[in-house]
Amino acid sequence: VLQLQAWALQRCSLPDAAGFELQIDGRSVIARSVLLATGVVDHVPDLPGIDAVRQGGLLRQCPICDGHEHRGQRIAVIGDGEHAAREAAFLATYSAHVSLVGLAAPPGESAVALEALGVTRLPARAKRVGVSTRSAAPITLRLDDGSQHGFDVLYAALGAQPRVQLARSVGAEVDARNNLVVDSHCRTSVPGLYAAGDVVSALDQIAVAIGHGAIAATAIHNALP
């Protein structure tokens, strides 16, 4: 897998038009058009033991994608603010055993709504998480008040960082959430530069990314001289 840090993108001049030069591990690639599908980096809780949870497939990032897989299970959501509150509320449609763990209390209206949905608010900060094959709950979450709680799955509601470094290096426009701004043909603000998938402002779903790819590929084809 090539790391983005080893890449560099810049505009260049072609014999009959403008284009791009992409540097990849010392190699140079020239292209008239570029489609970026660089995605996002999900933020992971900074907790001792979180790597074991992730390796065990018990750390999830997208309740829209896979919340249905955990119907009736004990679900922990780690995060703060409206984003975490929305994820906990969404997951409550699949399970009556959802707990929200964060660093601050959710906004007043959200707190009332979560209580009505049966979401449990754990007031203490998460301190450590572990995976156990010998207990009834595969995930053990320890809080800084000394309490310990068992869960079947852990959702990180901490957002994500779009990987826009390459696009920004040639002047592509981003929105307030740092997603690339594209038009209905997946064209960025830089002529010849297209973007698809989670790196643009849209629903972060595989089906949406596939649709973006089809739209961008057709637009690139139609733009060929």
Side-chain angles (χ1 to χ4, degrees), residues 12-14 19-23 28-33:
C12 69
S13 295
L14 298 177
F20 301 91
E21 180 178 5
L22 181 65
Q23 297 288 335
S28 178
V29 178
I30 304 296
R32 190 181 307 278
S33 301

Side-chain angles (χ1 to χ4, degrees), residues 21-220:
E21 180 178 5
L22 181 65
Q23 297 288 335
I24 307 174
D25 292 341
R27 295 185 295 112
S28 178
V29 178
I30 304 296
R32 190 181 307 278
S33 301
V34 172
L35 170 58
L36 294 177
T38 45
V40 299
V41 177
D42 290 307
H43 297 309
V44 176
D46 184 17
L47 290 174
I50 196 66
D51 288 343
V53 177
R54 179 163 49 182
Q55 291 166 6
L58 301 175
L59 176 64
R60 301 301 178 96
Q61 310 281 165
C62 179
I64 296 175
C65 302
D66 47 42
H68 63 92
E69 297 178 9
H70 306 292
R71 293 180 181 274
Q73 294 186 357
R74 293 160 294 183
I75 302 172
V77 179
I78 291 185
D80 285 318
E82 287 288 352
H83 177 67
R86 286 195 303 269
E87 289 208 4
F90 183 87
L91 286 163
T93 63
Y94 295 113
S95 175
H97 311 288
V98 178
S99 297
L100 177 60
V101 187
L103 305 180
E109 293 183 1
S110 296
V112 173
L114 291 175
E115 184 178 355
L117 290 170
V119 174
T120 300
R121 171 69 188 176
L122 299 180
R125 181 194 302 237
K127 184 176 182 180
R128 175 181 293 274
V129 64
V131 177
S132 174
T133 58
R134 293 181 294 179
S135 64
I139 297 175
T140 299
L141 188 64
R142 300 179 187 276
L143 307 185
D144 61 6
D145 63 359
S147 62
Q148 180 173 303
H149 306 266
F151 298 99
D152 297 299
V153 66
L154 174 64
Y155 274 86
L158 301 172
Q161 177 62 44
R163 302 178 75 173
V164 296
Q165 301 96 313
L166 289 178
R168 291 295 299 271
S169 70
V170 292
E173 181 184 353
V174 298
D175 62 17
R177 299 177 61 185
N178 208 34
N179 292 110
L180 288 176
V181 176
V182 296
D183 65 10
S184 59
H185 297 282
C186 291
R187 296 177 294 206
T188 71
S189 59
V190 176
L193 184 65
Y194 299 75
D198 294 355
V199 74
V200 308
S201 183
L203 183 63
D204 292 351
Q205 294 278 280
I206 293 174
V208 174
I210 293 172
H212 286 168
I215 292 170
T218 302
I220 291 171

